[in-house]
Amino acid sequence: MADRLLADVDALLREAAAEIVVPMFRRLDAADIAEKAPGEVVTVADRRAEELISAGLRRLRPGSVVVGEEAVAADPDLLRYLRGDGDVWLVDPVDGTANFAAGRRPFALMVALLTDGVPVASWVYDPLDGTMATCRAGAGTRLDGTPVRTSGPVPEVGALRGTAMTRFLPPATRQSVAAGGGRIGELLPGQHCAGREYLDVLTGRQQFVLFWRTLPWDHAPGTLLVREAGGVARRFDGTDYHPADDGRGLLVASSAEIWDEVRAALLGG
């Protein structure tokens, strides 16, 4: 894949952020926010940004399919394309919508490209601090244009720092995580923005993040970024994550060794 595509999608996300998302941050009216499912909100910024990004992606790859979060809310059958042939884009126009709607940070714009069902490139952009992560399969991850690696010396489990998103965990798993949290150096409650969690693994601010819900637009971009930087993204049973999977539970870590340590500490295996 030509690096030109990485640059073009980078520019497209920056355009959507500058023209739509950031200008509406902390300027939303009540009419700009709606509940699309119990406990889940959508804003006019989500919809407008997805329209802009989707149109731009189709121009970049004519004949490609766009599977956007808001488009799937209207037509869940779009998910069938995730294991299909050709180029398929996954788009999360505002990851962390609840934060955005409440006037809180962080939030992010995210895109992943799948070709014949295989993730081949991804982008995660935090527009408030200007951080952009990009990667293409087999060529590594770049953070603001600089190659980044997450692997290195493996800290003792008591020195690890990471996030466990416990809200949706089954009760038994939540109890296991709570009981094992004392073995971790610092167990964080989460930022309600998957994109920012993945960026923090890339920057070394944390070494892992644990999720239960794994909607594809939330995790396809970040998991490829972490893998290309030397980390791992696996289900709780150790199988590799794929965005078309229907499963629950995802543990992402900056290295395989840290994944093993965290799984043993928090999930008892």
Side-chain angles (χ1 to χ4, degrees), residues 149-214:
R149 297 291 294 175
T150 60
S151 55
V154 179
E156 296 292 331
V157 67
L160 293 175
R161 184 175 194 266
T163 293
M165 304 290 290
T166 60
R167 177 184 173 191
F168 298 105
L169 289 176
T173 308
R174 187 183 303 117
Q175 291 172 7
S176 177
V177 170
R183 298 176 58 191
I184 302 291
E186 188 174 4
L187 191 62
L188 308 170
Q191 303 174 76
H192 306 289
C193 175
R196 187 65 246 182
E197 301 288 356
Y198 284 110
L199 290 175
D200 284 355
V201 172
L202 295 175
T203 63
R205 293 177 184 173
Q206 60 189 36
Q207 289 80 46
F208 69 89
V209 56
L210 180 150
F211 302 95
W212 180 246
R213 296 204 309 173
T214 55

Side-chain angles (χ1 to χ4, degrees), residues 92-238:
D92 192 341
V94 182
D95 177 55
T97 297
N99 289 346
F100 181 82
R104 299 189 303 264
R105 59 191 306 169
F107 53 89
L109 290 76
M110 308 198 295
V111 169
L113 174 62
L114 282 64
T115 298
D116 298 332
V118 178
V120 296
S122 68
W123 299 257
V124 173
Y125 180 46
D126 180 337
L128 294 187
D129 71 5
T131 301
M132 174 72 78
T134 64
C135 76
R136 57 186 178 94
T141 295
R142 290 180 175 267
L143 195 61
D144 297 326
T146 301
V148 60
R149 297 291 294 175
T150 60
S151 55
V154 179
E156 296 292 331
V157 67
L160 293 175
R161 184 175 194 266
T163 293
M165 304 290 290
T166 60
R167 177 184 173 191
F168 298 105
L169 289 176
T173 308
R174 187 183 303 117
Q175 291 172 7
S176 177
V177 170
R183 298 176 58 191
I184 302 291
E186 188 174 4
L187 191 62
L188 308 170
Q191 303 174 76
H192 306 289
C193 175
R196 187 65 246 182
E197 301 288 356
Y198 284 110
L199 290 175
D200 284 355
V201 172
L202 295 175
T203 63
R205 293 177 184 173
Q206 60 189 36
Q207 289 80 46
F208 69 89
V209 56
L210 180 150
F211 302 95
W212 180 246
R213 296 204 309 173
T214 55
L215 297 169
W217 43 81
D218 285 337
H219 299 288
T223 52
L224 185 59
L225 285 166
V226 169
R227 285 170 174 162
E228 284 296 314
V232 296
R234 299 172 179 163
R235 298 291 186 180
F236 292 171
D237 64 2

